[in-house]
Amino acid sequence: MDTFRRLKNFYWPHKKYLFGSLLFLLIVTGATVCYPIVLQQTIDKGIKGQNFGYASILAFGFILIMAIKGVAAYFQQYWGNLFGISSVYELRKALYRKLQYLPFRYYDNAHTGDLMSRLTADVEGFRFFLSFGFSQLFNFILIVSFSLVIMFSYSVPLAVVTLLMTPFLAVTVYSFDKKVHPAFRAIRKSMGRMNTRVQENVSGMNTVKAMAQEAKEIERFEWNNTDYKDKQIYTSTLWAKYFPFMEFIGNICVVVLLGLGGTFVIRGEMKPGELVAFFSLVWYIMGPLMELGFMVNQFSQAKASGERLLQILDEPIEIASPENPIETDRLLGSVEFRHVYLKYPNEESYALKDITFRARPGQVIGLMGATGSGKSSITRLIARFYDATSGEILLDGESVKNYSLKTLRKNIGFVQQETFLFSSTIRDNIAYGNPDATDEEIIDAAKRAQAHDFISELPNGYDTILGERGLGLSGGQKQRIAIARALLINPSILILDDATSAVDMQTEAKIQMAFRELMRGRTTFIIAHRISSVRHADEILVLKDGQIAERGVHEDLIQNPNGLYRRIYDIQYKDHEQLKTQQNA
Amino acid sequence: MPLEKPESKALETRQRFYYSSDRIIEKPFNWAQMARLLQYLKPYAKTLLPGAIIALLIGTAIRLTVPILIGVYAFDRVIKHQDIHGLYWLVGTIAVLYFLSYLSNYFRIRLTNILGQYVIFDIRKHLFNHVQYLSNRFFDSRSAGSILVRIINDVNSLQDLFTNGVINTLTDLLMLCGIIVILFSLSWQLAIAVMLVIPLMFFLSTKFRRKIRRAWQLVRLKQSKLNSHLNESIQGIRVTQSFNQEVNNRAFFDVVNTEVFETWRSATQKNAVFRPFVEMANAIGSAILIWFGAFLIIHSHLTTGIFVSFAFYLGMFWDPISRLGQTYNQLLVAMASSERIFEFLDERPNVRDAQEPVSMDGIKGTIDFEDVRFT
Ligand SMILES: Nc1ncnc2c1ncn2[C@@H]1O[C@H](COP(=O)(O)OP(=O)(O)O)[C@@H](O)[C@H]1O
Ligand SMILES: [Mg+2]
C-alpha cells in the first residue's frame, strides 16, 4: 500500500473523477440487476395474472431504467478512464522532468530498453489499474451483494445452492491464475529473445552474408520461433483446460437450480418467474468471480509497476546548482585543476589521479594518451557531468561547484566522443543549444565547422530531416554538424573530444585551419589521436592510467626519446619520413 | 492544464523534433490478399482444421439447444404437467449436454490455438528465411528497425486473426443464423418484433465502431510519437544536458504528452458514448419481448416456455454481433500487416532492385522496446 500512498500526488488531485465514476457505477449495477426482477414480474404478475397493462408498464419502465443505466454507464466509464489518463499525464510529466536532470552517472548504468519499458509498460499498467481496478472491485462487491439479496428474497434454498457452488469456482480461478501468469511471462520473455535474435541478425547482415552464415542463422531462428510457438500453445492449453471448466461449474449450478427450482415450482412453493430470474442472477455472481483472479493480479502488477516508477522518481540528483550560484553571461575561460582525483561511482579504481594543470583564457590544451587513460574524464569534470572525488576545479578562479549549471554549460561548447544527432532538421540540430539563433548564425557556424558545403549539396539543405527518417550521413559529416552545434553557442571554453576521428585527413586539415581562427578568444581542449591535431597546442598533456605522464609543447615533447609522446610521434610520422627520404633519394 | 513554456522564444511556435508516425495500421479489405493469407491454412486443412470445426459445430449446437430445453420443455411440458419424473430426465439431459459442451469447448480452444500458432510459426519462418537471401541493396535501403518490425510486429498482428478470428467468425455466424431460425420456428410474430433491433445493433457495431476505431488509431499514433521522443531523449540526454536544453525539451514533451492525453480522452469519450446506445438497443429488444410477448401469451398465441426461451436467446444476441464487428477490425489490421509481409516475400533474392527505390516512410511506429540497448 505504501507504493500507492507515495504515488498519491499523481492521482489524488483527480479524485473527483474516481468518486463520480463510482457513484454512477452504483446506478449502473442497480439497473443491471433490475433485468431479472422485471422478467420475474412479467412472468409471475403480467402473464400469470393476465394483466397486460402491468406488462406494458414493465416494458416501458424497463426502457426507462435502461436509459438511466446507459447515461450512468457513460459517465461511469468516461470518468473512470479520465481518472486514469489524467493521473498518468501528471506521472509521465514528472518522470520526464526527472529524466532530464538525472546525472550522467545514472545513464551509464541504465539501459534505454529498461527505461523505456518502465515509461511505457509500467505507466500503462498503472493507468489500467487506476482506470479499471477500483471500479472493478467496487462492481464486484456491488453486483454480488445485490444479486444475493434478490436471490435470498426469492428462494433461500436456491440461494444457498448457488453460494455452495462458488468455492469450487474460486478454487479453479485461483489455480488457473497461479499458472497462467508465469506462462504469460514466459511468452513475453520468449518474444524478447526472438526480438533480440532478429535484431542481431538484421543489423549483422553484412557479416552473415560475408561468412555465408544464412543456413546457420535460419537454424538459430527456427529455435526461437519454435520456442515462442510452444510457449503460446502451452498457455492456450491452460485456457482450454480452465475456462470451459469454469463455465461448466456455472452451468452445473444452472442444472441444479433447474432441478431443485423446478421441483419447488411444481409443488407450488416458488413462482416460475423467480426461477427464471435465478438463471440470470447466477451469472451475475459467477461472472465477476471468474474475473477475480485477474483483478488481484492486476493489483499486484500495478504495485510492482508503481515501485519501478518510484525508483526513477526517488533517484538522487547529486549534480545540481548550488544554493546561491554565480551567474554570469560570459566566463573568461581560465581553467585550473588542483590535485584532482576521480573515481566513477560503482568503480573500484581511480580514473584520474592527482591531475594539476592550468589553462589561461584563450589557450589550447591538447590531451593525448591511450584509450582509457582519462582524457575524456578530465573534460567531463569541467562541465560537471561528474564531480571530482577530491581536489578542486576552478573556472575563472571559482570552483565549478559555485556556478549554476546553466552558466557553466552555457559557456562550455562540448563535442562529445559519440556523436548524437536528433530526429530533426539539420538546422535545428545545429541550433540545438540556441534555438533562437538566426539563419545567418547557423550557416556561419556550419561554415566554420566545414559542414556548409555538404549541407548545401543535400536536396533539402538545412531543412533535411535527420534521424529515423534515415538520411544516412557519414560519421565525419555528423561530427562536423556536432562541431557546428558547439560553435553556435559561442562558448568561452571549447571541448573537442575526438571530434574529428571520423573526418578524413584533408577535411581535418581544413578544420584545423579554421579552428585556429575560431579558437581565438576561447580556451580549447582538443582530445585527439593524431599528433597533427595537437601539435600547435599551448600545452600538451600526455596521460597514462589516469595520471599526467608528460606535459609541454610539441617541440619539447619530441625531444624526449623515451617519452610516450615521442613514441606516438614516431609511429605516426615514420611512414611520412620514410616517404620523404625515398622521394629525396 | 497549462503547458510548460520553452525557454527559447523560437520554440513557442516551432516543433523541434520530427517523428514519422505515419505507419498505416489498416488497409481496406482485399480478397486476393485474403486468399493468399488463407493459403497458410492449407497444410492443416486435413489435420487440425476438421477437428476444430467439429468441436465448434458441437458446441454451437448445444448452446442453441439448451434454451429450448430450459424454456419450452421445462415450462410448457414438465412444470405445466407437474411431471417430476420428466424434470429429472430433463435435468439429466441438460447436464450431459453441458458436459459435452465443456469437452467441445476444450477441444475448440486447444485446436484453434494450435492451428493459429502453427500458421504464425510458418509465416514467420517463411519471412525470416526469405529475408536471409535478399540482396545487399535490400538491406542498404532499409533500417534494421523497419525489417525487425515486419518480422516481429506485423506477423504478431496476424495472430489474433488466425487463433480466434477465423473460427470465431464461423461460430458467430452460425450462432446468429441458428438463433434466427429457432426464433422464427418458435413464434414468427414475436421473432419479427424482436428482430427489429438487429439492424440497430449491426449499425452500432459497424458504423459507430468505425468512429471509435479511428479515434484509437489516433491515440496509437500520438503514443508512438511520444515513445519515439522518450527513446531519443534518453539516448541524447548527454547532449541535452550539455546544451542546457532540459527546459526546452520539457516544453516539447508537454505538448506531445498533452496530445496523447487529448486524443485518449476523446477516444475514451467516443467509447463511452457507445454504451448508452448499446444499452438502449438491448433494452428495446427486451421491452418488445416483455410487452408483445405478454400480449401474445394473454391472447394465447404464445406459451410461457417459449417466452422464457426467447429471453435466453435475446441475451445471446449481442455478443456475436459485437464480436463480428471486432473481427472486421481485425481483418483490416491483418490487411495492412499482410501487405507489408507480402511485400518482403515478393522481393526477389539477389536480383537488382527495381528502378524506383522502396519508400522508407512509416518504418517506426510500434517497435517493442524490449532488449533495445544503448551502448
Ligand atoms: N562513465 C564511466 N563510468 C565508469 N567508468 C568510466 C566511465 N567512463 C570512463 N570510465 C573509466 O575511466 C577510465 C578513463 O576513461 P576515459 O576518460 O573515457 O578515457 P579516454 O577518454 O582517455 O579513453 C577508463 O578506465 C574507463 O573505463
Ligand atoms: Mg575518451
Side-chain angles (χ1 to χ4, degrees), chain A residues 47-67:
Chain A
I47 296 172
K48 265 268 174 70
Q50 299 274 311
N51 188 343
F52 183 60
Y54 187 63
S56 311
I57 292 172
L58 283 175
F60 288 106
F62 186 68
I63 287 189
L64 197 67
I65 292 172
M66 289 298 121

PDB file of all heavy atoms in Angstrom, chain A residues 47-67:
ATOM      1  N   ILE A  47     -48.083 -12.050 -16.974  1.00  0.00           N
ATOM      2  CA  ILE A  47     -48.595 -13.160 -17.768  1.00  0.00           C
ATOM      3  C   ILE A  47     -49.571 -14.025 -16.969  1.00  0.00           C
ATOM      4  O   ILE A  47     -50.702 -14.263 -17.388  1.00  0.00           O
ATOM      5  CB  ILE A  47     -47.433 -14.021 -18.303  1.00  0.00           C
ATOM      6  CG1 ILE A  47     -46.589 -13.176 -19.271  1.00  0.00           C
ATOM      7  CG2 ILE A  47     -47.953 -15.266 -18.993  1.00  0.00           C
ATOM      8  CD1 ILE A  47     -45.316 -13.841 -19.723  1.00  0.00           C
ATOM      9  N   LYS A  48     -49.099 -14.454 -15.787  1.00  0.00           N
ATOM     10  CA  LYS A  48     -49.948 -15.300 -14.952  1.00  0.00           C
ATOM     11  C   LYS A  48     -51.255 -14.583 -14.597  1.00  0.00           C
ATOM     12  O   LYS A  48     -52.329 -15.158 -14.641  1.00  0.00           O
ATOM     13  CB  LYS A  48     -49.206 -15.666 -13.651  1.00  0.00           C
ATOM     14  CG  LYS A  48     -48.489 -17.020 -13.718  1.00  0.00           C
ATOM     15  CD  LYS A  48     -49.394 -18.124 -13.199  1.00  0.00           C
ATOM     16  CE  LYS A  48     -48.788 -19.504 -13.389  1.00  0.00           C
ATOM     17  NZ  LYS A  48     -47.633 -19.725 -12.515  1.00  0.00           N
ATOM     18  N   GLY A  49     -51.115 -13.330 -14.252  1.00  0.00           N
ATOM     19  CA  GLY A  49     -52.300 -12.574 -13.837  1.00  0.00           C
ATOM     20  C   GLY A  49     -53.060 -12.012 -15.029  1.00  0.00           C
ATOM     21  O   GLY A  49     -53.990 -11.239 -14.860  1.00  0.00           O
ATOM     22  N   GLN A  50     -52.646 -12.352 -16.249  1.00  0.00           N
ATOM     23  CA  GLN A  50     -53.323 -11.858 -17.464  1.00  0.00           C
ATOM     24  C   GLN A  50     -53.460 -10.342 -17.442  1.00  0.00           C
ATOM     25  O   GLN A  50     -54.453  -9.788 -17.886  1.00  0.00           O
ATOM     26  CB  GLN A  50     -54.721 -12.493 -17.569  1.00  0.00           C
ATOM     27  CG  GLN A  50     -54.707 -14.002 -17.675  1.00  0.00           C
ATOM     28  CD  GLN A  50     -54.540 -14.487 -19.104  1.00  0.00           C
ATOM     29  OE1 GLN A  50     -55.245 -14.033 -19.997  1.00  0.00           O
ATOM     30  NE2 GLN A  50     -53.578 -15.368 -19.322  1.00  0.00           N
ATOM     31  N   ASN A  51     -52.446  -9.694 -16.891  1.00  0.00           N
ATOM     32  CA  ASN A  51     -52.528  -8.257 -16.697  1.00  0.00           C
ATOM     33  C   ASN A  51     -51.656  -7.547 -17.735  1.00  0.00           C
ATOM     34  O   ASN A  51     -50.480  -7.265 -17.518  1.00  0.00           O
ATOM     35  CB  ASN A  51     -52.059  -7.928 -15.276  1.00  0.00           C
ATOM     36  CG  ASN A  51     -52.298  -6.475 -14.922  1.00  0.00           C
ATOM     37  OD1 ASN A  51     -52.513  -5.639 -15.808  1.00  0.00           O
ATOM     38  ND2 ASN A  51     -52.261  -6.182 -13.642  1.00  0.00           N
ATOM     39  N   PHE A  52     -52.243  -7.272 -18.896  1.00  0.00           N
ATOM     40  CA  PHE A  52     -51.462  -6.687 -19.972  1.00  0.00           C
ATOM     41  C   PHE A  52     -51.005  -5.267 -19.640  1.00  0.00           C
ATOM     42  O   PHE A  52     -49.917  -4.836 -19.999  1.00  0.00           O
ATOM     43  CB  PHE A  52     -52.262  -6.684 -21.281  1.00  0.00           C
ATOM     44  CG  PHE A  52     -51.475  -6.150 -22.436  1.00  0.00           C
ATOM     45  CD1 PHE A  52     -50.292  -6.775 -22.828  1.00  0.00           C
ATOM     46  CD2 PHE A  52     -51.893  -5.003 -23.107  1.00  0.00           C
ATOM     47  CE1 PHE A  52     -49.572  -6.277 -23.879  1.00  0.00           C
ATOM     48  CE2 PHE A  52     -51.153  -4.501 -24.152  1.00  0.00           C
ATOM     49  CZ  PHE A  52     -49.986  -5.141 -24.549  1.00  0.00           C
ATOM     50  N   GLY A  53     -51.835  -4.558 -18.911  1.00  0.00           N
ATOM     51  CA  GLY A  53     -51.465  -3.196 -18.513  1.00  0.00           C
ATOM     52  C   GLY A  53     -50.185  -3.184 -17.697  1.00  0.00           C
ATOM     53  O   GLY A  53     -49.287  -2.375 -17.929  1.00  0.00           O
ATOM     54  N   TYR A  54     -50.110  -4.158 -16.787  1.00  0.00           N
ATOM     55  CA  TYR A  54     -48.920  -4.225 -15.942  1.00  0.00           C
ATOM     56  C   TYR A  54     -47.686  -4.557 -16.783  1.00  0.00           C
ATOM     57  O   TYR A  54     -46.615  -3.971 -16.597  1.00  0.00           O
ATOM     58  CB  TYR A  54     -49.123  -5.286 -14.851  1.00  0.00           C
ATOM     59  CG  TYR A  54     -48.022  -5.305 -13.821  1.00  0.00           C
ATOM     60  CD1 TYR A  54     -47.789  -4.196 -13.015  1.00  0.00           C
ATOM     61  CD2 TYR A  54     -47.210  -6.418 -13.662  1.00  0.00           C
ATOM     62  CE1 TYR A  54     -46.785  -4.191 -12.072  1.00  0.00           C
ATOM     63  CE2 TYR A  54     -46.193  -6.430 -12.725  1.00  0.00           C
ATOM     64  CZ  TYR A  54     -45.983  -5.310 -11.922  1.00  0.00           C
ATOM     65  OH  TYR A  54     -44.975  -5.311 -11.007  1.00  0.00           O
ATOM     66  N   ALA A  55     -47.855  -5.472 -17.757  1.00  0.00           N
ATOM     67  CA  ALA A  55     -46.741  -5.839 -18.627  1.00  0.00           C
ATOM     68  C   ALA A  55     -46.254  -4.613 -19.415  1.00  0.00           C
ATOM     69  O   ALA A  55     -45.056  -4.404 -19.602  1.00  0.00           O
ATOM     70  CB  ALA A  55     -47.142  -6.950 -19.589  1.00  0.00           C
ATOM     71  N   SER A  56     -47.207  -3.786 -19.853  1.00  0.00           N
ATOM     72  CA  SER A  56     -46.819  -2.581 -20.603  1.00  0.00           C
ATOM     73  C   SER A  56     -46.018  -1.642 -19.714  1.00  0.00           C
ATOM     74  O   SER A  56     -44.985  -1.098 -20.129  1.00  0.00           O
ATOM     75  CB  SER A  56     -48.049  -1.846 -21.118  1.00  0.00           C
ATOM     76  OG  SER A  56     -48.908  -2.746 -21.753  1.00  0.00           O
ATOM     77  N   ILE A  57     -46.522  -1.484 -18.493  1.00  0.00           N
ATOM     78  CA  ILE A  57     -45.783  -0.617 -17.566  1.00  0.00           C
ATOM     79  C   ILE A  57     -44.372  -1.139 -17.380  1.00  0.00           C
ATOM     80  O   ILE A  57     -43.394  -0.382 -17.407  1.00  0.00           O
ATOM     81  CB  ILE A  57     -46.506  -0.549 -16.195  1.00  0.00           C
ATOM     82  CG1 ILE A  57     -47.837   0.206 -16.353  1.00  0.00           C
ATOM     83  CG2 ILE A  57     -45.632   0.148 -15.145  1.00  0.00           C
ATOM     84  CD1 ILE A  57     -48.703   0.156 -15.118  1.00  0.00           C
ATOM     85  N   LEU A  58     -44.279  -2.458 -17.221  1.00  0.00           N
ATOM     86  CA  LEU A  58     -42.955  -3.062 -17.045  1.00  0.00           C
ATOM     87  C   LEU A  58     -42.061  -2.786 -18.250  1.00  0.00           C
ATOM     88  O   LEU A  58     -40.897  -2.396 -18.112  1.00  0.00           O
ATOM     89  CB  LEU A  58     -43.081  -4.571 -16.844  1.00  0.00           C
ATOM     90  CG  LEU A  58     -43.534  -5.033 -15.460  1.00  0.00           C
ATOM     91  CD1 LEU A  58     -43.734  -6.538 -15.461  1.00  0.00           C
ATOM     92  CD2 LEU A  58     -42.524  -4.629 -14.386  1.00  0.00           C
ATOM     93  N   ALA A  59     -42.610  -2.978 -19.452  1.00  0.00           N
ATOM     94  CA  ALA A  59     -41.814  -2.794 -20.668  1.00  0.00           C
ATOM     95  C   ALA A  59     -41.280  -1.369 -20.744  1.00  0.00           C
ATOM     96  O   ALA A  59     -40.087  -1.148 -20.980  1.00  0.00           O
ATOM     97  CB  ALA A  59     -42.637  -3.119 -21.906  1.00  0.00           C
ATOM     98  N   PHE A  60     -42.180  -0.396 -20.514  1.00  0.00           N
ATOM     99  CA  PHE A  60     -41.704   0.987 -20.627  1.00  0.00           C
ATOM    100  C   PHE A  60     -40.820   1.378 -19.455  1.00  0.00           C
ATOM    101  O   PHE A  60     -39.834   2.095 -19.622  1.00  0.00           O
ATOM    102  CB  PHE A  60     -42.899   1.935 -20.812  1.00  0.00           C
ATOM    103  CG  PHE A  60     -43.495   1.790 -22.178  1.00  0.00           C
ATOM    104  CD1 PHE A  60     -44.698   1.135 -22.377  1.00  0.00           C
ATOM    105  CD2 PHE A  60     -42.800   2.263 -23.299  1.00  0.00           C
ATOM    106  CE1 PHE A  60     -45.224   0.959 -23.649  1.00  0.00           C
ATOM    107  CE2 PHE A  60     -43.318   2.089 -24.559  1.00  0.00           C
ATOM    108  CZ  PHE A  60     -44.532   1.431 -24.742  1.00  0.00           C
ATOM    109  N   GLY A  61     -41.186   0.861 -18.291  1.00  0.00           N
ATOM    110  CA  GLY A  61     -40.326   1.097 -17.126  1.00  0.00           C
ATOM    111  C   GLY A  61     -38.921   0.573 -17.385  1.00  0.00           C
ATOM    112  O   GLY A  61     -37.926   1.224 -17.048  1.00  0.00           O
ATOM    113  N   PHE A  62     -38.870  -0.568 -18.027  1.00  0.00           N
ATOM    114  CA  PHE A  62     -37.573  -1.170 -18.293  1.00  0.00           C
ATOM    115  C   PHE A  62     -36.739  -0.291 -19.229  1.00  0.00           C
ATOM    116  O   PHE A  62     -35.564  -0.048 -18.990  1.00  0.00           O
ATOM    117  CB  PHE A  62     -37.761  -2.563 -18.906  1.00  0.00           C
ATOM    118  CG  PHE A  62     -36.472  -3.309 -19.075  1.00  0.00           C
ATOM    119  CD1 PHE A  62     -35.748  -3.745 -17.980  1.00  0.00           C
ATOM    120  CD2 PHE A  62     -35.972  -3.550 -20.348  1.00  0.00           C
ATOM    121  CE1 PHE A  62     -34.563  -4.414 -18.141  1.00  0.00           C
ATOM    122  CE2 PHE A  62     -34.775  -4.228 -20.510  1.00  0.00           C
ATOM    123  CZ  PHE A  62     -34.066  -4.655 -19.406  1.00  0.00           C
ATOM    124  N   ILE A  63     -37.398   0.205 -20.264  1.00  0.00           N
ATOM    125  CA  ILE A  63     -36.680   1.103 -21.175  1.00  0.00           C
ATOM    126  C   ILE A  63     -36.165   2.321 -20.421  1.00  0.00           C
ATOM    127  O   ILE A  63     -35.023   2.750 -20.594  1.00  0.00           O
ATOM    128  CB  ILE A  63     -37.588   1.537 -22.348  1.00  0.00           C
ATOM    129  CG1 ILE A  63     -37.770   0.352 -23.289  1.00  0.00           C
ATOM    130  CG2 ILE A  63     -36.973   2.712 -23.100  1.00  0.00           C
ATOM    131  CD1 ILE A  63     -38.453   0.694 -24.580  1.00  0.00           C
ATOM    132  N   LEU A  64     -36.993   2.827 -19.550  1.00  0.00           N
ATOM    133  CA  LEU A  64     -36.599   3.994 -18.762  1.00  0.00           C
ATOM    134  C   LEU A  64     -35.379   3.673 -17.894  1.00  0.00           C
ATOM    135  O   LEU A  64     -34.393   4.411 -17.863  1.00  0.00           O
ATOM    136  CB  LEU A  64     -37.777   4.428 -17.885  1.00  0.00           C
ATOM    137  CG  LEU A  64     -37.656   5.838 -17.316  1.00  0.00           C
ATOM    138  CD1 LEU A  64     -37.746   6.854 -18.436  1.00  0.00           C
ATOM    139  CD2 LEU A  64     -38.724   6.069 -16.253  1.00  0.00           C
ATOM    140  N   ILE A  65     -35.460   2.546 -17.213  1.00  0.00           N
ATOM    141  CA  ILE A  65     -34.342   2.159 -16.342  1.00  0.00           C
ATOM    142  C   ILE A  65     -33.062   2.012 -17.157  1.00  0.00           C
ATOM    143  O   ILE A  65     -31.982   2.463 -16.763  1.00  0.00           O
ATOM    144  CB  ILE A  65     -34.664   0.829 -15.620  1.00  0.00           C
ATOM    145  CG1 ILE A  65     -35.800   1.045 -14.615  1.00  0.00           C
ATOM    146  CG2 ILE A  65     -33.434   0.306 -14.890  1.00  0.00           C
ATOM    147  CD1 ILE A  65     -36.305  -0.242 -14.005  1.00  0.00           C
ATOM    148  N   MET A  66     -33.198   1.376 -18.340  1.00  0.00           N
ATOM    149  CA  MET A  66     -32.007   1.157 -19.164  1.00  0.00           C
ATOM    150  C   MET A  66     -31.467   2.468 -19.725  1.00  0.00           C
ATOM    151  O   MET A  66     -30.271   2.611 -19.931  1.00  0.00           O
ATOM    152  CB  MET A  66     -32.310   0.189 -20.303  1.00  0.00           C
ATOM    153  CG  MET A  66     -32.515  -1.235 -19.831  1.00  0.00           C
ATOM    154  SD  MET A  66     -31.058  -1.923 -19.027  1.00  0.00           S
ATOM    155  CE  MET A  66     -31.727  -2.310 -17.437  1.00  0.00           C
ATOM    156  N   ALA A  67     -32.376   3.413 -19.956  1.00  0.00           N
ATOM    157  CA  ALA A  67     -31.911   4.721 -20.423  1.00  0.00           C
ATOM    158  C   ALA A  67     -31.073   5.366 -19.330  1.00  0.00           C
ATOM    159  O   ALA A  67     -29.989   5.898 -19.580  1.00  0.00           O
ATOM    160  CB  ALA A  67     -33.092   5.604 -20.801  1.00  0.00           C
TER     161      ALA A  67
END
